[in-house]
Amino acid sequence: MSPRDVYVLGGNRIPFVRSGGKYLKASNQDMLTAAIDGLVSRHDLSGERLGEVAAGAVIKHARDFNLTRESVLGSHLSPQTPAYDVQQACGTGLEATILVANKIALGQVDSAIAGGTDTTSDAPLAINDDLRRTLMMVNYAKTPQQRLKALTKIRPGQFAPEQPKNAEPRTGLAMGDHQAITTKEWGISREAQDELAALSHQNLAAAYGRGFFDDLVTPYLGVSKDNNLRPDSTPEKLAKLKPVFGKGEGATMTAGNSTPLTDGASVVLLGSADWAQERKLTPLARFVDGETAAVDYVHGGEGLLMAPPYAIARLLQRNGLTLQDFEFYEFHEAFASTVLCHLAAMESPEFCKERLGLDEPLGSVDRSKLNVNGSSLAAGHPFAATGGRIVASLAKMLHEKGSGRGLISICAAGGQGVVAILEAV
């Protein structure tokens, strides 16, 4: 059969909360279940058997080996709904959306939920490797003597836990430190970063003010709005913060123009036209296509978070579009300078020719169409939950406008980028 059109039918998330705050005792499973149940309630799906649910988390406990399925079992969906975990760092939620959209397009399922959840407040602590190996030997011992012998190898120093690290395994550098290098290479100014960050807060505050998120966000644990939001942010206020990434006078990245560690979950509902019609659900947007790219940030001289321009170039070429053929651009703000580096790269004749293999640069983005309802700098960035937030918001924006396309771009750890196109219906 020919591929079918796939539609975004709705979305839901819980408010995003700064790490160590109101969600301190909430697990990934708690939050993902809450996000799913909010979607189920809003679209009258209680007891419904969906084609599948695909979601994931970047930071997981060992007990979360079947996180998404367990979340479905704890929700009001039919327990006969299959589910599986996906993990592609910050691109998880959007990659999950691409996966289920492809299955719907091929007729393998008629409906699906995609999303993600993450908490840095409930991050797992691993025990010392030496202690773990000793305890495994104790577990495998077949006699009391063998068990006692293994236990004598335990030393007091082994009880210190392995500390969680926010660093790339192959470089040992934190993501912010990687981005600081790229920021300097592209000559992105502190003023430009603070201006983008302030606008993100102002746009998100305005969107909340006009009720844009009323049918996209479900209150959770007494929180009804993203608590990272600072409506009174201005470039002047942000300019007072000291740099936290990079070194020396050239350091420009601060806690104000970088995303904070955040907890939260988000999901989106997708389906075929027939499935939506049978349930009287209004399609918000058509899911057109998605693309994923990776760069060799370890040996190749490319920045850790510079994969999205590569993915965008391939996605545009495959769909016969230019970078200017969009009404909305939803670029994940891992750091303000990440977005500005991507924009600069796509405008650069040298980068587009030498790195992307294009005869002409991709060109400029109309900044008035970029993250018009705010993005990660204001809302926060629970890693795997960002894709669902953006897909749901963009689908609603396109539905309200009634025409045009939207481009999503999300950078991810490991030198990866996930991008997608939605279209109004």
Side-chain angles (χ1 to χ4, degrees), residues 28 46 56 92 106 240 245 284 321 373 407:
N28 273 326
S46 184
T92 297
L106 293 175
K240 298 177 181 177
F245 297 112
L284 301 178
L321 297 171
N373 288 321
L407 178 63

Side-chain angles (χ1 to χ4, degrees), residues 99-124:
L99 286 171
V100 303
N102 287 344
K103 284 196 173 185
I104 294 170
L106 293 175
Q108 295 170 345
V109 297
D110 293 321
S111 62
I113 289 175
T117 177
D118 252 303
T119 170
T120 45
S121 298
D122 188 36

Side-chain angles (χ1 to χ4, degrees), residues 47 86 147 150 181 187 263 268 293 297 371 381 424:
V86 180
R147 189 169 295 113
I181 297 170
D263 307 332
V268 290
Y297 68 97
N371 297 341
H381 171 42

Side-chain angles (χ1 to χ4, degrees), residues 15-34:
F16 292 171
V17 166
R18 280 195 169 206
S19 180
K22 290 279 190 177
Y23 297 170
L24 190 60
K25 296 182 179 179
S27 68
N28 273 326
Q29 185 178 325
D30 293 336
M31 294 191 295
L32 183 57
T33 303

Side-chain angles (χ1 to χ4, degrees), residues 128-254:
N128 181 289
D129 258 357
D130 288 341
L131 177 59
R132 181 179 58 80
R133 292 190 184 97
T134 301
L135 293 176
M136 293 301 290
M137 290 174 62
V138 172
N139 186 54
Y140 290 133
K142 296 181 179 177
T143 66
Q145 291 78 11
Q146 289 176 336
R147 189 169 295 113
L148 184 61
K149 183 179 179 182
L151 285 170
T152 61
K153 295 183 178 180
I154 295 177
R155 299 289 182 269
Q158 296 175 346
F159 286 98
E162 296 283 343
Q163 295 296 323
K165 295 179 181 177
N166 179 23
E168 289 292 322
R170 294 186 179 275
T171 63
L173 293 177
M175 187 172 286
D177 293 325
H178 267 288
Q179 179 57 41
I181 297 170
T182 309
T183 302
K184 189 174 182 180
E185 287 176 350
W186 281 95
I188 305 300
S189 71
R190 169 74 182 269
E191 291 74 19
Q193 294 174 58
D194 288 345
E195 184 179 349
L196 185 78
L199 191 59
S200 182
H201 284 275
Q202 293 162 9
N203 286 344
L204 186 73
Y208 267 110
R210 64 175 177 274
F212 178 80
F213 293 111
D214 286 355
D215 57 357
L216 292 175
V217 176
T218 300
Y220 181 62
L221 297 182
V223 183
S224 58
K225 184 184 293 185
D226 310 313
N227 76 353
N228 185 58
L229 175 60
R230 302 288 183 270
D232 59 349
S233 286
T234 64
E236 292 74 23
K237 289 181 179 179
L238 293 172
K240 298 177 181 177
L241 300 176
K242 294 181 179 179
V244 294
F245 297 112
K247 298 178 180 177
E249 293 183 357
T252 57
M253 294 171 58
T254 71

Side-chain angles (χ1 to χ4, degrees), residues 212 284 326-328 369 372 393-406 423-425:
F212 178 80
L284 301 178
F326 296 88
E327 289 298 323
F328 300 108
K369 300 178 178 179
V372 299
S393 294
L394 178 58
K396 181 174 178 179
M397 290 154 60
L398 289 166
H399 181 65
E400 287 183 343
K401 183 169 180 58
S403 63
R405 304 180 189 87
E423 185 176 66
V425 291

